[in-house]
Amino acid sequence: MSDGLDVIIVDDEQHVCEVLSETVKKFYTWGDVMTFNNYRSATEYCLSRDKGLMIFILDVFVEDSNGFAFLDAVNEKYPNAHLDTVMISGMASDDVVDMCIATGVNHLLEKPVRNYALQLAVRSIVMKYVKFAKKLLADTELAGIIDRM
């Protein structure tokens, strides 16, 4: 386990996991990149960790479940999970788009995933934490308030 902001990729197609993982590793240096072929293993892994921040790259449908159910399962430990997710779909139907909007998932990509689109989506998630960290470093009073929480 790294000390950074790790990335979890979940897709039932092993090849897709490998391609996405290699793509992310080319530009992502803030943490480890891990892949899973089913939501149960990914859920167990996430719930066994101490941290409450992670980036999720999820296929909408995997086996008999879906990415939204996975996010609900880890939401207590990862309260920003929906906001920190890139959802991937073979076809982004109106129902999938509506579920993303309803649950707060702001990044939806269709397969085949374009490298630049994935990079920009992940970068968007990372930058909110980088900006917040800079704010904490600049505002010691705010940092003290958060530390007391």
Side-chain angles (χ1 to χ4, degrees):
M1 181 185 317
S2 78
D3 290 331
L5 183 59
D6 294 338
V7 176
I8 294 284
I9 299 170
V10 184
D11 194 298
D12 53 355
E13 297 178 49
Q14 181 62 35
H15 177 70
V16 172
C17 281
E18 291 169 4
V19 169
L20 291 174
S21 176
E22 290 306 313
T23 300
V24 172
K25 287 177 181 178
K26 287 179 184 174
F27 66 83
Y28 191 75
T29 60
W30 292 90
D32 292 334
V33 179
M34 290 148 289
T35 62
F36 294 89
N37 291 106
N38 67 65
Y39 286 125
R40 283 178 283 291
S41 297
T43 301
E44 290 171 14
Y45 175 80
C46 291
L47 295 178
S48 71
R49 293 173 48 112
D50 293 334
K51 293 192 233 178
L53 290 177
M54 192 178 305
I55 297 174
F56 302 95
I57 301 174
L58 308 173
D59 191 1
V60 172
F61 300 107
V62 172
E63 298 170 330
D64 60 345
S65 191
N66 64 65
F68 303 106
F70 169 80
L71 292 173
D72 290 342
V74 300
N75 190 55
E76 189 172 323
K77 189 146 194 176
Y78 299 90
N80 287 332
H82 291 81
L83 297 173
D84 296 342
T85 294
V86 178
M87 198 65 74
I88 297 173
S89 176
M91 186 184 83
S93 67
D94 288 344
D95 289 339
V96 171
V97 172
D98 290 344
M99 283 297 294
C100 286
I101 292 169
T103 61
V105 172
N106 295 317
H107 304 282
L108 175 62
L109 303 177
E110 284 187 312
K111 292 178 184 176
V113 174
R114 297 186 181 263
N115 293 350
Y116 68 85
L118 181 60
Q119 183 173 359
L120 290 172
V122 170
R123 185 177 187 275
S124 171
I125 294 167
V126 170
M127 289 312 296
K128 72 181 175 186
Y129 292 111
V130 170
K131 288 180 180 180
F132 184 68
K134 287 180 181 179
K135 185 172 183 146
L136 284 178
L137 290 172
D139 188 343
T140 56
E141 185 177 336
L142 176 61
I145 292 169
I146 292 172
D147 186 46
R148 287 190 294 273
M149 292 177 165

